[in-house]
Amino acid sequence: MVGVPKTGFVLIALVMLGAGSFLNIFDQLRGKKVRPVTAGKRESTARELFSPLKQYTAPYDQIKYRSVIDQSYLQAPTSGDRLVEQGEFAGVYNQYFYVPDEGDRWMTFEVSGKDGRSELRQVDIWSTNDTAYAHGMRGHLVVEQTEVDQITFMQIHDRVVTINRPLLRMVWMASFQGVEDAYWAFIKSDACPECRNYDKYMLAPRTAMKVEFEVLVKQSKLTITVNGAVAPQINNYDVNYWNHLKSYWKAGVYNNWNNGTGKVKFWTLDFYTIPL
């Protein structure tokens, strides 16, 4: 009988076990916390499996992302899933939330399917008429897509289920009101639960270069800046009708219309407050 080298046994074991089982065992041997993905609601894992051709790392490994991640949990791949809980992001990446090992190495959100999402959801809540702090979100980002018509990448959402609609959606639209391939702001113009009344403003064309968006809410006034310049139509926009609601930030990727794959990459992202 011809002898089989030790490496041959390893390869045979990999085939018999499957790459997934091997990586799970490998992580446990390294002391990584691994929890299985079960049927129904998905649980967070220290490592999710990818094609062997792809290499990813955890966004939390980069110090510049830790502040926003520490304030959030990961909502993916649907609105009912809390894939990674607040405080459990160390060493975590998955197919919805990762940093590629090559290229620009930005925090990346990716999801497929209509109404699919991968978003950091702020845990703390606040009021638009807060007299102690102004509340802000800013980020440098690029929307990458080839298969979808609309992607939401930043939001101010309310915590009250009866409304369950965002005060603000920052959106990329493939084509809207005669404008092709551009970023928009959709602002809910009332607090009516049944109404879908929105003011819609084009902010900037999409290019391959990153764009900086900053949203600031200060004493019931909403202001948006694009690459450091205030959007004139959204400068101290009055949102006093939202004062009785509790709000929070969301950022990432949300596929609004069709079943393609959406991807948004953030060079920077932060939720912050300014004392008044």
Side-chain angles (χ1 to χ4, degrees):
M1 179 177 176
V2 179
V4 180
K6 291 183 180 180
T7 54
F9 286 117
V10 173
L11 291 173
I12 293 170
L14 273 172
V15 172
M16 294 178 65
L17 285 171
S21 298
F22 176 78
L23 284 175
N24 195 289
I25 293 170
F26 180 69
D27 277 341
Q28 293 185 54
L29 289 174
R30 293 170 59 203
K32 283 280 210 175
K33 182 180 179 182
V34 177
R35 288 186 287 170
V37 176
T38 57
K41 183 174 180 180
R42 296 170 58 85
E43 296 184 6
S44 62
T45 63
R47 173 178 297 217
E48 297 229 359
L49 305 181
F50 292 88
S51 161
L53 300 178
K54 294 183 177 181
Q55 297 294 323
Y56 301 103
T57 56
Y60 201 79
D61 288 352
Q62 294 195 30
I63 293 175
K64 68 178 179 178
Y65 297 129
R66 289 184 182 177
S67 175
V68 70
I69 292 174
D70 282 339
Q71 299 179 59
S72 311
Y73 65 79
L74 181 67
Q75 194 173 31
T78 70
S79 60
D81 292 315
R82 296 172 62 134
L83 188 59
V84 186
E85 293 290 349
Q86 183 185 27
E88 297 185 4
F89 282 90
V92 175
Y93 60 90
N94 50 58
Q95 63 262 47
Y96 311 110
F97 179 67
Y98 60 87
V99 170
D101 275 354
E102 299 180 351
D104 50 40
R105 305 201 73 242
W106 295 1
M107 181 168 62
T108 302
F109 300 82
E110 182 175 355
V111 73
S112 298
K114 184 178 183 298
D115 294 328
R117 69 182 67 214
S118 173
E119 297 175 297
L120 288 178
R121 197 272 206 194
Q122 185 186 29
V123 173
D124 290 344
I125 58 174
W126 43 273
S127 299
T128 52
N129 62 340
D130 190 345
T131 58
Y133 294 94
H135 297 265
M137 170 172 57
R138 61 174 163 252
H140 295 77
L141 62 99
V142 171
V143 170
E144 288 190 353
Q145 53 68 46
T146 56
E147 303 169 322
V148 293
D149 298 322
Q150 178 182 157
I151 290 174
T152 297
F153 54 89
M154 287 178 165
Q155 298 186 67
I156 301 173
H157 219 291
D158 78 285
R159 190 169 178 264
V160 181
V161 177
T162 54
I163 302 277
N164 198 30
R165 297 192 186 281
L167 170 63
L168 170 69
R169 284 201 301 127
M170 304 284 283
V171 188
W172 168 82
M173 302 288 289
S175 179
F176 186 66
Q177 295 185 351
V179 180
E180 305 294 316
D181 197 8
Y183 297 112
W184 291 74
F186 290 4
I187 305 173
K188 194 171 187 334
S189 56
D190 55 47
C192 170
E194 299 83 19
C195 304
R196 299 196 178 194
N197 300 319
Y198 283 88
D199 292 333
K200 302 171 183 179
Y201 303 102
M202 201 278 280
L203 297 174
R206 185 183 71 96
T207 70
M209 303 296 292
K210 65 179 179 290
V211 58
E212 181 188 20
F213 291 109
E214 183 169 14
V215 183
L216 185 67
V217 179
K218 180 181 178 181
Q219 295 181 327
S220 305
K221 304 294 185 182
L222 171 67
T223 299
I224 295 177
T225 62
V226 183
N227 291 326
V230 174
Q233 65 273 51
I234 318 174
N235 184 10
N236 288 322
Y237 182 105
D238 192 350
V239 293
N240 69 82
Y241 53 86
W242 210 258
N243 288 347
H244 65 289
L245 299 172
K246 300 301 183 182
S247 298
Y248 56 87
W249 301 111
K250 297 182 77 174
V253 59
Y254 172 41
N255 293 342
N256 294 90
W257 280 356
N258 55 12
N259 288 314
T261 297
K263 182 191 292 187
V264 180
K265 305 189 305 182
F266 285 83
W267 181 52
T268 66
L269 179 63
D270 192 24
F271 306 151
Y272 66 91
T273 58
I274 302 173
L276 297 177

